[in-house]
Amino acid sequence: MKTILVGIQGSGKSTQGNLLSEKLGLPYLSTGHIFREIAKEHTPLGRHMKEVMNAGYLISDDQAIEIVRDYLQRSEYSKGYILDGFPRTVAQAESFDNDMDHVIYLAVSDEEALRRISGRQDATREDETLAAINRRIESFHKFTKPVLEYYKEKGVLIEVDGEKSIEDIHHAIIEKLKI
Ligand code: AMP
């Protein structure tokens, strides 16, 4: 089963992705995590990624698509996966017509997302400056909201209230997935 998690930064995608991964026995992967690892490398690609991510911009579609495609070819993902953070643009979604089973949207208001991010323990993370966070919120509305429409039309979109407790959200997801 192939499942995608979509949500604004701070919506709880990685928390819910990990819980779902445990419940379903399927691997969890996050493009944010993969890209942050690449950004640590002292290579031209690493330096470029670091700059783009720290400023709160999206990695280019071509780069994101190529890296994700490479990852998903690994045998550990052959039975399915929980993918967090991709696709974030309609171009990415289109490139990835990978008969997705479910797309879960964790709906959280901009205000709640900002409140959560500023309260994080690792709020000193290099890519979590206020300017970068605001730019990510902007990108979410501009580029990722249309991705939700795209999957709604395909009939695979599940919307969950992401402002409930972690347990309530997890149970709502399980219920809507009918598993
Ligand atoms: P995340 O941990 O999902 O919030 O991602 C952190 C950062 O990684 C984002 O702000 C983007 O710069 C980059 N990123 C993650 N996923 C994608 C994607 N699918 N397309 C472009 N950039 C991405």
Side-chain angles (χ1 to χ4, degrees), residues 77-91:
Y77 301 118
S78 63
K79 290 203 176 72
Y81 46 79
I82 319 287
L83 179 58
D84 159 358
F86 186 99
R88 259 177 160 95
T89 66
V90 171

Side-chain angles (χ1 to χ4, degrees), residues 78 93 115 136 158:
S78 63
R115 201 182 59 75
R136 273 186 212 111
I158 291 173

